[in-house]
Amino acid sequence: MTRVALAFSGGLDTTVCVPLLEEEYGYDEVIGVTVDVGQPASEFEEAEETAEALDLDHYVVDAKAEFADLCFDSVRANATYQGYPLGTALARPVIAEAILEVAEEQDCTGIAHGCTGKGNDQLRFEAVWRDSDLEVIAPVRELGLTREWEQEYAAEKELPVEGGSGGDWSVDTNLWSRSVEGDELEDPSYVPSTEIYNWTDEPSGETEEIELSFEQGYPVAIDGEEYEPVALIEYLNELAGSYGVGRTDSMEDRMLGLKVRENYEHPAATTLLNAHEALEGLVLTQEEREFKQLIDQKWSKKGYEGLVDAPLVGALEGFIAETQQRVTGTVTIRFEGGKARPVGRDSEYAAYSAEHASFDTETVGKIAQEDATGVAKYHGFQRRLANSVTTDESEDEPEVELATDGGEE
């Protein structure tokens, strides 16, 4: 008997994949695997009900802790892509690993997903799966299916779906972010109503301040109370979301070259990233901060590609870990006007002296203010020299008189 494991959500795409894997690919049995990375309970209920209606063996894997740990790694790397925190991109390798483990435990010979050939997720899933000996199958991509065809096929087969994707939009939710795309949102000029948002309220005039604690770059406490990663993220999503924090409307460049419009909600991610960067600003030297921007950018790109286990990432994290040894302390965040703004920071490792920076002190330690005169004289010397040479050359050039007809005499 041949068996294939399917990444299963209970939506339209993965539901139509079940009979297609049997009819078109000849598999005797399909098993569904749903991985919990922080989706709402309603999605698991939908998956369970659909699997039962399809008489599908269904496995649910709890991977919230693993995903939260990766999210916190992304905080240390200040990971964003084109202005928004990585969410779906980071979840996909975690989901793929969990599905692969089930597939191998259940003696599957194939592993499948319901991604199209236009998106990023096909690449992120398969980057993990192609390390195995299992046949990798993508029915929607390989058969060139459209949403309209899938709906007609589902109706013909009397499959238990209502059109998929939870309504007009395609929504992907996990602990770290909620993405919304499709339908009218595909028009870049369309201004969406507030109904597309679920995690964030409209910003009001109300404000609130909290204190976030970090240890070696990892968030560990809120207002002095320690939290495990999953609980901390969930708490901040609710709190920061109530102040309208963490909305992004983005024209995103996908890995295949397509430009798409995405709307995101990420209250906790925005809050933690802002706080972490503020703390790094206090404790890291100028050179470390400048160079770490390059490291963070590379980490973020690999994270977006779903390649967080690449050798390069391991090397990057070596540098990140070294810098994060001093990123321990607290940051005060103020929620106001839809923003999470750092308004205070404190650390025993601060590369800062209030006494030295103060306008009320005459010296900087043993350095007198007048010692800066020589530095000021040298500052910009090459610029002045280069500009003077250029000016001299332009003055030496002969003037050219023009004839009345516009030509040179």
Side-chain angles (χ1 to χ4, degrees):
M1 174 182 288
T2 56
R3 181 180 293 131
V4 58
L6 169 66
F8 188 74
S9 68
L12 177 63
D13 294 326
T14 57
T15 298
V16 300
C17 281
V18 174
L20 288 174
L21 286 167
E22 297 171 344
E23 297 171 0
E24 300 294 330
Y25 293 88
Y27 276 93
D28 299 315
E29 183 181 358
V30 181
I31 65 172
V33 186
T34 304
V35 182
D36 184 358
V37 287
Q39 305 95 309
S42 59
E43 292 191 18
F44 295 101
E45 294 170 2
E46 177 185 9
E48 290 281 4
E49 292 174 0
T50 306
E52 184 176 353
L54 291 169
D55 195 25
L56 181 74
D57 283 344
H58 185 220
Y59 299 82
V60 178
V61 181
D62 186 347
K64 292 193 297 295
E66 292 87 342
F67 179 51
D69 287 344
L70 181 56
C71 291
F72 278 12
D73 287 339
S74 79
V75 170
R76 302 214 306 174
N78 299 309
T80 62
Y81 179 77
Q82 297 189 339
Y84 71 89
L86 297 174
T88 299
L90 296 182
R92 291 305 184 247
V94 175
I95 293 171
E97 287 282 2
I99 296 171
L100 180 58
E101 288 182 11
V102 173
E104 291 176 338
E105 289 171 359
Q106 298 301 315
D107 296 324
C108 293
T109 56
I111 190 165
H113 61 72
C115 304
T116 73
K118 295 184 177 182
N120 294 323
D121 287 343
Q122 57 178 332
L123 307 180
R124 295 164 179 156
F125 278 126
E126 294 182 29
V128 174
W129 293 348
R130 291 189 183 279
D131 277 339
S132 73
D133 295 328
L134 278 63
E135 180 186 13
V136 177
I137 309 159
V140 176
R141 178 185 70 200
E142 294 165 2
L143 300 176
L145 307 184
T146 64
R147 181 57 56 90
E148 182 180 358
W149 186 93
E150 290 178 21
Q151 290 171 336
E152 293 176 354
Y153 179 79
E156 176 186 334
K157 293 286 187 178
E158 297 183 347
L159 300 177
V161 293
E162 298 177 359
S165 299
D168 295 331
W169 308 295
S170 176
V171 179
D172 182 81
T173 306
N174 56 54
L175 274 174
W176 204 234
S177 74
R178 177 177 179 269
S179 68
V180 188
E181 63 177 336
D183 199 60
E184 293 176 304
L185 294 174
E186 293 177 350
D187 177 1
S189 68
Y190 173 74
V191 180
S193 65
T194 57
E195 65 178 329
I196 72 167
Y197 300 114
N198 183 263
W199 284 8
T200 55
D201 298 330
E202 284 296 290
S204 67
E206 296 183 3
T207 67
E208 183 176 347
E209 290 182 6
I210 64 169
E211 184 182 79
L212 293 171
S213 300
F214 290 82
E215 291 184 4
Q216 296 189 4
Y218 289 116
V220 294
I222 302 173
D223 291 330
E225 182 177 351
E226 293 187 359
Y227 288 82
E228 292 297 317
V230 172
L232 191 149
I233 294 169
E234 291 176 337
Y235 178 86
L236 274 184
N237 271 333
E238 183 172 350
L239 177 62
S242 69
Y243 290 95
V245 171
R247 291 181 179 180
T248 301
D249 191 324
S250 171
M251 292 305 302
E252 179 180 325
D253 294 303
R254 286 182 173 170
M255 285 184 274
L256 293 179
L258 293 173
K259 192 181 290 290
V260 296
R261 190 206 189 160
E262 295 273 6
N263 282 260
Y264 294 97
E265 294 181 283
H266 34 75
T270 295
T271 303
L272 292 172
L273 286 165
N274 289 356
H276 177 265
E277 194 165 8
L279 188 56
E280 281 193 335
L282 178 65
V283 304
L284 299 186
T285 64
Q286 179 184 5
E287 288 180 321
E288 287 175 309
R289 293 177 72 183
E290 289 180 351
F291 193 74
K292 189 169 182 293
Q293 289 179 355
L294 302 177
I295 300 295
D296 293 345
Q297 185 180 38
K298 288 291 186 181
W299 197 103
S300 301
K301 185 66 179 298
K302 303 313 289 184
Y304 182 75
E305 294 171 350
L307 301 176
V308 290
D309 62 346
L312 175 62
V313 175
L316 297 174
E317 289 184 339
F319 177 86
I320 292 172
E322 180 67 25
T323 62
Q324 299 306 291
Q325 290 183 30
R326 307 196 311 278
V327 186
T328 295
T330 60
V331 178
T332 301
I333 289 287
R334 177 180 296 161
F335 299 123
E336 61 179 355
K339 299 183 181 298
R341 189 162 64 89
V343 293
R345 65 279 280 163
D346 183 63
S347 173
E348 62 179 307
Y349 301 106
Y352 168 83
S353 167
E355 179 184 355
H356 293 166
S358 174
F359 292 125
D360 294 327
T361 56
E362 294 183 5
T363 63
V364 180
K366 296 181 179 181
I367 305 172
Q369 290 192 50
E370 63 187 25
D371 292 336
T373 302
V375 178
K377 289 180 178 180
Y378 275 107
H379 184 65
F381 172 74
Q382 285 195 0
R383 176 192 60 80
R384 294 195 298 273
L385 183 60
N387 287 344
S388 68
V389 173
T390 304
T391 301
D392 291 343
E393 288 182 352
S394 63
E395 290 177 350
D396 292 340
E397 291 179 1
E399 294 185 5
V400 177
E401 295 184 6
L402 297 180
T404 55
D405 63 356
E408 293 184 3
E409 291 186 338

